[in-house]
Amino acid sequence: MEHVIHANNLTLTYGKDEPIITEANMKINSNEFVFITGKSGSGKSTILKSLYGQLTPKKGSLNVCGIKINNANSSKLNLLRRYLGIVFQDYRLIADWTVEKNVMLPLIIGGFSKVVCTQQAQKLLKHVKLLHKADKYPLELSGGEQQRVAMARALAHNPVIILADEPTGNLDEYSSEVIWDLLKNAKEYLGTTVIVVTHHIPSTLDIDYKHFFLETGVVYEVS
Amino acid sequence: MKSLRNHLSVIIPLFVTLFSLQFIFLINQIVDSYSRTLTKDYSIVVVASKELSQTTIKNIVSGVKSIEEISSKKILDKLKDKISTKNISLLKTSLPKFYSIKLKSFPNEKDIEEIKDKLLKIESITKVETFSKTYSKIYRMFQALEKIVFLFSIFVLIISVLLMVKQMKIWLLEHQERMSIMTLFGAPFWIKSAVLYRLVVIDSLISTLLVSAVYIFIPKFEKIDTFAKSIDIVIPEFFILKDTGVLLIVSLLFSLFIVSIVIRKMNRQ
């Protein structure tokens, strides 16, 4: 099977500080569902940042979707990020864009026509049960609703990989369920690779997954 | 209200810059046209003891357009009744020759002095009258005005650039969050910066239209027109399509250049 992510002796640091992640090895195949867990400050989000190219490896190598992150220039990073669907812990929705336009963002970047963008955004908003709030602005929504919009945005362009940072961190049971269903469906029906950083793997999730556990900067694969 | 203030912070410096630029063009045209009128009216009068050849003068003094002999017939005609024909013939031969020299362009004082010196070196020329003071006074005033306007415009341009850079930075900070989110989704530079470029294009258009409107209506004010006529100048016509087009191109290039520099600089930081 093809590796969509391949980290070899990956060491990550912020500036000249002590390494956050030391010599991590990870192989993630296409269409896998992956959990990265660990205590707060263990470097889970740092790994995610390196996967979308916001943090360059200090040592070792990191390949995502065939693009070597170590020496990727901005145009290669732009290309890589168009393969990814990212769900941030703090949602990162554009405040002065409507919910619908926020969902359209990856499609606008991808150069799709307005009709396609609108149709796809409405379809996804229907999936996350927020179609009735398409014309609202992010700040008019609750935290759970904003996270569902962020999830719809991440799925809009049928990405190769979804990277989700604590996607259900502060959500109620209903919103959490919607999010997990969407991630599960993305893997099962769209063949997407899903990588979720979380404190806690939901016990009700009925899916095969790979699990990496982080402790003091070391990545362990849990069998 | 905030948005209007933001736009005005770009529109005002752009307006001032374009206004100054158009003013430089206007003053240049006025000085040119005035200089053409002066050149047409201006001539150097030369008194010579014998006939001068055009080629001799043209070889010695460059920039000569034409040399005409001033006929002494009128003076002699007046004397016809008072003195005998014989004396008239004698007078005719002993009278000096008068020439009027027209130049291709209006000379400055230094040029006039040089021309005068060169002409006086020709043996047969006994006197050269340049009338320089009368003509060059207003012309010099216009030339000084032209230089003052140019210097003032450079000063205005510097202030405008600084004001615009400051406003672009404010815009950029306002849009930074949106731009960073777009970056995380792989947006290319032109998509991320599209909002700023759009704002700049709109403001350029507004400033250009305002400046054009001012220059279209300026000559229509009676007081200005009367004043211009009183000092013998013609306010050049503002050609709506051509001049507005030039102003729009300058305005767009100027503002797009500044916004691009600011975005690139902030991105690098």
Side-chain angles (χ1 to χ4, degrees):
Chain A
M1 226 183 229
E2 181 196 351
H3 296 137
V4 284
I5 294 172
H6 187 186
N8 191 21
N9 293 326
L10 179 70
T11 298
L12 298 170
T13 60
Y14 286 107
K16 286 177 180 173
D17 294 344
E18 286 293 298
I20 308 287
I21 301 292
T22 317
E23 297 189 347
N25 289 298
M26 287 195 300
K27 279 177 187 170
I28 296 171
N29 297 323
S30 146
N31 197 22
E32 268 190 321
F33 202 106
V34 179
F35 281 106
I36 300 176
T37 63
K39 286 179 190 166
S40 294
S42 59
K44 304 186 294 290
S45 299
T46 305
I47 287 195
L48 223 54
K49 275 184 186 170
S50 72
L51 294 180
Y52 57 80
Q54 210 179 21
L55 194 63
T56 316
K58 183 84 175 168
K59 282 183 195 162
S61 68
L62 177 61
N63 262 276
V64 182
C65 296
I67 292 169
K68 196 169 182 185
I69 302 289
N70 299 58
N71 49 15
N73 56 22
S74 62
S75 60
K76 278 221 169 139
L77 284 180
N78 282 345
L79 184 69
L80 165 73
R81 287 166 183 170
R82 280 175 232 161
Y83 294 143
L84 308 176
I86 314 172
V87 183
F88 300 95
Q89 201 172 355
D90 54 355
Y91 326 127
R92 299 215 190 161
L93 299 172
I94 296 172
D96 54 352
W97 279 17
T98 61
V99 162
E100 188 180 76
K101 200 171 175 191
N102 265 286
V103 176
M104 282 183 196
L105 176 64
L107 299 164
I108 294 170
I109 292 169
F112 290 92
S113 70
K114 202 176 174 189
V115 178
V116 174
C117 291
T118 312
Q119 279 174 353
Q120 180 74 343
Q122 288 187 351
K123 192 178 108 186
L124 283 157
L125 283 173
K126 200 174 169 189
H127 276 306
V128 295
K129 297 169 177 65
L130 284 172
L131 187 57
H132 60 293
K133 294 201 171 175
D135 294 330
K136 299 264 179 209
Y137 288 90
L139 293 176
E140 295 174 298
L141 307 182
S142 71
E145 286 171 330
Q146 286 187 51
Q147 188 67 307
R148 274 146 61 194
V149 175
M151 181 57 72
R153 179 181 64 183
L155 289 165
H157 53 310
N158 295 335
V160 177
I161 305 172
I162 289 178
L163 303 172
D165 192 0
E166 305 275 9
T168 56
N170 303 310
L171 302 189
D172 58 53
E173 208 176 310
Y174 172 73
S175 291
S176 297
E177 226 169 84
V178 173
I179 299 282
W180 288 123
D181 274 349
L182 281 167
L183 290 172
K184 202 173 120 180
N185 288 343
K187 178 205 163 352
E188 284 181 353
Y189 301 113
L190 301 172
T192 313
T193 305
V194 180
I195 300 172
V196 181
V197 161
T198 182
H199 278 102
H200 169 73
I201 300 172
S203 51
T204 49
L205 194 70
D206 177 27
I207 198 165
D208 288 334
Y209 60 84
K210 191 179 250 180
H211 180 195
F212 291 103
F213 176 70
L214 265 74
E215 198 173 49
T216 57
V218 182
V219 179
Y220 301 96
E221 188 174 343
V222 183
S223 48
Chain B
M1 197 63 200
K2 195 183 158 199
S3 165
L4 180 71
R5 209 169 48 223
N6 277 346
H7 278 286
L8 283 178
S9 306
V10 173
I11 291 172
I12 291 170
L14 262 177
F15 175 84
V16 174
T17 308
L18 295 179
F19 186 87
S20 313
L21 186 79
Q22 187 59 28
F23 199 63
I24 292 178
F25 291 151
L26 190 83
I27 292 290
N28 279 346
Q29 282 177 39
I30 289 173
V31 173
D32 275 356
S33 120
Y34 196 76
S35 134
R36 272 199 301 276
T37 316
L38 281 183
T39 315
K40 210 166 76 186
D41 295 346
Y42 180 74
S43 60
I44 296 171
V45 174
V46 167
V47 184
S49 54
K50 54 183 177 184
E51 206 166 306
L52 292 172
S53 93
Q54 292 221 3
T55 13
T56 322
I57 292 180
K58 279 186 178 172
N59 285 343
I60 294 170
V61 183
S62 56
V64 171
K65 193 181 166 192
S66 64
I67 302 156
E68 279 170 33
E69 191 182 341
I70 304 169
S71 168
S72 54
K73 198 176 169 278
K74 270 188 187 172
I75 305 163
L76 294 172
D77 282 350
K78 275 183 189 173
L79 296 170
K80 234 179 206 174
D81 303 334
K82 292 170 189 168
I83 51 174
S84 65
T85 327
K86 196 185 163 192
N87 283 346
I88 289 277
S89 311
L90 265 170
L91 197 61
K92 216 175 191 178
T93 49
S94 60
L95 255 182
K97 304 274 177 192
F98 295 90
Y99 293 94
S100 162
I101 301 176
K102 292 222 176 262
L103 301 174
K104 281 176 189 162
S105 60
F106 190 74
N108 57 35
E109 260 185 294
K110 204 183 148 202
D111 293 337
I112 291 176
E113 279 309 305
E114 273 177 24
I115 293 169
K116 192 178 176 180
D117 289 346
K118 280 179 185 171
L119 287 170
L120 285 172
K121 273 179 193 161
I122 301 172
E123 217 175 291
S124 53
I125 292 179
T126 54
K127 195 170 169 50
V128 176
E129 185 52 68
T130 57
F131 311 102
S132 62
K133 277 183 189 161
T134 332
Y135 279 90
S136 65
K137 207 172 173 183
I138 300 173
Y139 184 64
R140 278 211 316 271
M141 200 183 79
F142 274 115
Q143 278 191 321
L145 181 69
E146 198 179 21
K147 279 178 188 136
I148 291 167
V149 166
F150 185 72
L151 286 174
F152 181 71
S153 302
I154 288 178
F155 175 71
V156 163
L157 184 76
I158 294 168
I159 302 285
S160 304
V161 169
L162 292 175
L163 283 173
M164 280 181 69
V165 166
K166 194 179 155 228
Q167 186 54 41
M168 300 290 158
K169 281 184 179 169
I170 294 171
W171 277 359
L172 208 58
L173 288 172
E174 282 176 1
H175 294 280
Q176 207 163 32
E177 199 194 343
R178 174 212 308 254
M179 287 168 85
S180 72
I181 293 169
M182 288 183 164
T183 305
L184 291 171
F185 282 86
F189 177 80
W190 67 269
I191 287 189
K192 280 189 285 184
S193 323
V195 179
L196 294 184
Y197 281 111
R198 199 162 52 229
L199 287 172
V200 159
V201 168
I202 291 169
D203 289 354
S204 296
L205 199 66
I206 294 172
S207 324
T208 307
L209 291 176
L210 287 174
V211 172
S212 300
V214 169
Y215 278 96
I216 289 166
F217 290 111
I218 276 182
K220 293 201 166 93
F221 284 107
E222 210 184 316
K223 275 186 180 174
I224 294 172
D225 192 44
T226 318
F227 174 72
K229 279 177 184 155
S230 72
I231 54 169
D232 211 14
I233 59 167
V234 181
I235 297 176
E237 195 184 338
F238 184 86
F239 296 101
I240 296 176
L241 277 179
K242 191 190 128 215
D243 291 339
T244 306
V246 171
L247 287 176
L248 183 63
I249 290 168
V250 171
S251 163
L252 284 173
L253 288 177
F254 181 61
S255 53
L256 291 175
F257 175 71
I258 292 176
V259 78
S260 304
I261 295 275
V262 174
I263 293 173
R264 294 257 175 215
K265 203 176 161 196
M266 297 280 271
N267 275 353
R268 250 181 255 141
Q269 282 169 359

